[in-house]
Amino acid sequence: MLQNPKTIMHIQDPASQRLTWNKPPKSVLVIKKIRDASLLQPFKELCVYLTEENNMIVYVEKKVLEDPAIANDENFGPVKKKFCTFREDYDDISNQIDFIICLGGDGTLLYASSLFQGSVPPVMAFHLGSLGFLTPFNFENFQSQVTQVIEGNAALVLRSRLKVKVVKEHREKMTVQNGIEENGVVSTNIEKEVGKQVMQYQVLNEVVVDRGPSSYLSNVDVFLDGHLITTVQGDGVIVSTPTGSTAYAAAAGASMIHPNVPAIMITPICPHSLSFRPIVVPAGVELKIMLSPDARNTAWVSFDGRKRQEICHGDSISITTSCYPLPSICFQDPVSDWFESLAECLHWNVRKKQNNFAVEEEEF
């Protein structure tokens, strides 16, 4: 019997998470939505402010500077020469960035997450896109807001990510000379298993397994800590973080979970079952998804809408909570920002107010 049950669990106040610098930040990564002309002026104003007013080292993706509106702007030339550039999948900048500023919609934050497969610097996201659920800052007063972040005067929400490992049965197709093997069997192509291909991803929103172009139901087995918990027969299944619960999972009928809640959501996509409800499991478990042995077709998987690939028999997708969350800088605090986004972006529980009963006047 527990002697003092009150000391068993400590629940941290979300508002207690604050941005703290060990030393003043010197480098910042600016991520701009590509092919959006409306972001050119905010991008230029922000970069001028960071380099000239704060003497910061600004990192920019090389393809951003290839935009003709930036490349041909002579007035912006002196600022552009100060930039440090990088290319996605080629240059590793993970240890060179103090914090990140995103200009765009929620997709820019997802893209920022994909650039850092380990520890992620704090992210400040400005709402300059379409939805903006994950981008709480408005650009009108960006100077004072950026200054507060540089001074360490800001709240944080640690958005959990998913650590995903895809293991594929690697087969190599080889053409047999003259179409005849050594045993005399006629064949043009044979599959030779030469090992396994392993890929790992850090996912902020969700892992989606679907039936792809096939007209058949997807048929995938879902394991939790090694135990088969269900077989998904439908269009597919979504495994999401609390951050992703307001994205594809919400459209598929899942509950919306605050990002401070340590959890993983499993949401079926159009299941061929009247009783298959979305479920929430603890953040520490390991999920494994594989094609069922009797599946009629392959499946397809994507990670935050990217890196889409086919999953065949024998392949597996292992998913657990990553030890590298994404620190998202708050406009106010984690709770206020979340409910503000629910109201402004998703119009949560918007309804015309019910009228009260009319009070009848007493007759005299």
Side-chain angles (χ1 to χ4, degrees):
M1 185 173 180
L2 300 175
Q3 294 181 355
N4 189 359
K6 294 183 179 180
T7 63
I8 298 303
M9 179 180 291
H10 172 69
I11 300 176
Q12 184 182 18
D13 180 6
S16 66
Q17 297 173 347
R18 305 289 300 181
L19 176 64
T20 303
W21 299 112
N22 293 326
K23 57 182 180 179
K26 293 295 183 182
S27 59
V28 56
L29 167 62
V30 178
I31 297 178
K32 184 187 82 70
K33 185 179 179 182
I34 304 296
R35 296 183 297 275
D36 191 336
S38 66
L39 298 182
L40 292 175
Q41 191 59 34
F43 172 75
K44 293 176 182 179
E45 292 178 10
L46 175 64
C47 291
V48 169
Y49 178 73
L50 292 171
T51 55
E52 297 185 357
E53 299 293 330
N54 292 277
N55 197 30
M56 298 198 72
I57 302 171
V58 176
Y59 284 78
V60 178
E61 195 168 6
K62 191 173 182 180
K63 62 184 178 182
V64 171
L65 301 183
E66 293 172 353
D67 189 321
I70 296 178
N72 300 329
D73 188 345
E74 296 181 357
N75 296 327
F76 193 60
V79 177
K80 189 171 60 175
K81 290 179 181 179
K82 300 178 182 179
F83 290 160
C84 295
T85 60
F86 73 97
R87 295 174 298 168
E88 182 187 8
D89 296 331
Y90 286 93
D91 303 315
D92 183 13
I93 59 171
S94 56
N95 294 323
Q96 303 172 38
I97 305 299
D98 290 326
F99 72 102
I100 304 168
I101 296 180
C102 294
L103 303 177
D106 294 344
T108 57
L109 188 67
L110 296 174
Y111 180 66
S113 172
S114 71
L115 294 176
F116 295 85
Q117 294 300 299
S119 179
V120 187
V123 182
M124 182 182 193
F126 284 95
H127 176 30
L128 292 167
S130 53
L131 184 61
F133 194 93
L134 306 178
T135 54
F137 289 92
N138 292 317
F139 195 75
E140 285 77 11
N141 302 315
F142 78 91
Q143 296 96 335
S144 61
Q145 295 170 343
V146 171
T147 299
Q148 285 187 339
V149 170
I150 293 174
E151 294 174 351
N153 183 21
L156 280 178
V157 56
L158 296 179
R159 299 185 178 275
S160 64
R161 298 196 293 174
L162 298 175
K163 177 184 176 183
V164 186
K165 182 172 73 172
V166 179
V167 179
K168 290 190 174 184
E169 297 288 344
H170 189 64
R171 293 175 174 85
E172 180 181 350
K173 289 187 177 181
M174 53 180 288
T175 302
V176 182
Q177 206 167 23
N178 298 326
I180 301 178
E181 297 180 43
E182 293 180 357
N183 58 7
V185 178
V186 178
S187 175
T188 55
N189 290 291
I190 63 173
E191 288 189 345
K192 180 181 179 182
E193 188 167 317
V194 295
K196 294 185 177 181
Q197 182 183 8
V198 179
M199 294 158 287
Q200 294 194 16
Y201 306 95
Q202 296 283 331
V203 176
L204 179 61
N205 260 4
E206 73 273 298
V207 179
V208 177
V209 180
D210 60 65
R211 60 189 175 96
S214 173
S215 58
Y216 293 111
L217 293 173
S218 69
N219 196 342
V220 295
D221 293 334
V222 180
F223 299 83
L224 189 149
D225 288 342
H227 302 285
L228 177 65
I229 58 171
T230 193
T231 298
V232 179
Q233 295 183 97
D235 279 354
V237 63
I238 305 166
V239 179
S240 60
T241 63
T243 295
S245 70
T246 52
Y248 193 177
S255 296
M256 295 180 289
I257 302 178
H258 189 276
N260 276 115
V261 178
I264 298 175
M265 297 191 65
I266 303 173
T267 307
I269 307 171
C270 297
H272 198 248
S273 168
L274 296 178
S275 59
F276 197 164
R277 304 294 299 162
I279 62 172
V280 180
V281 297
V285 304
E286 181 180 52
L287 298 171
K288 191 172 186 178
I289 299 177
M290 301 181 68
L291 273 179
S292 297
D294 54 352
R296 295 183 178 183
N297 56 293
T298 61
W300 288 76
V301 62
S302 61
F303 315 93
D304 283 342
R306 310 180 77 220
K307 309 290 185 182
R308 186 167 170 82
Q309 54 196 270
E310 191 174 16
I311 299 297
C312 303
H313 284 283
D315 300 344
S316 65
I317 307 165
S318 298
I319 305 170
T320 189
T321 300
S322 171
C323 59
Y324 300 111
L326 184 142
S328 181
I329 299 173
C330 301
F331 177 67
Q332 298 180 65
D333 60 76
V335 175
S336 298
D337 282 9
W338 193 67
F339 278 101
E340 182 70 18
S341 292
L342 286 181
E344 291 296 322
C345 300
L346 300 182
H347 304 292
W348 177 62
N349 197 28
V350 173
R351 183 190 186 278
K352 185 178 180 180
K353 290 287 187 178
Q354 186 181 47
N355 294 330
N356 62 349
F357 287 118
V359 179
E360 295 182 2
E361 297 182 2
E362 295 183 2
E363 295 182 1
F364 293 98

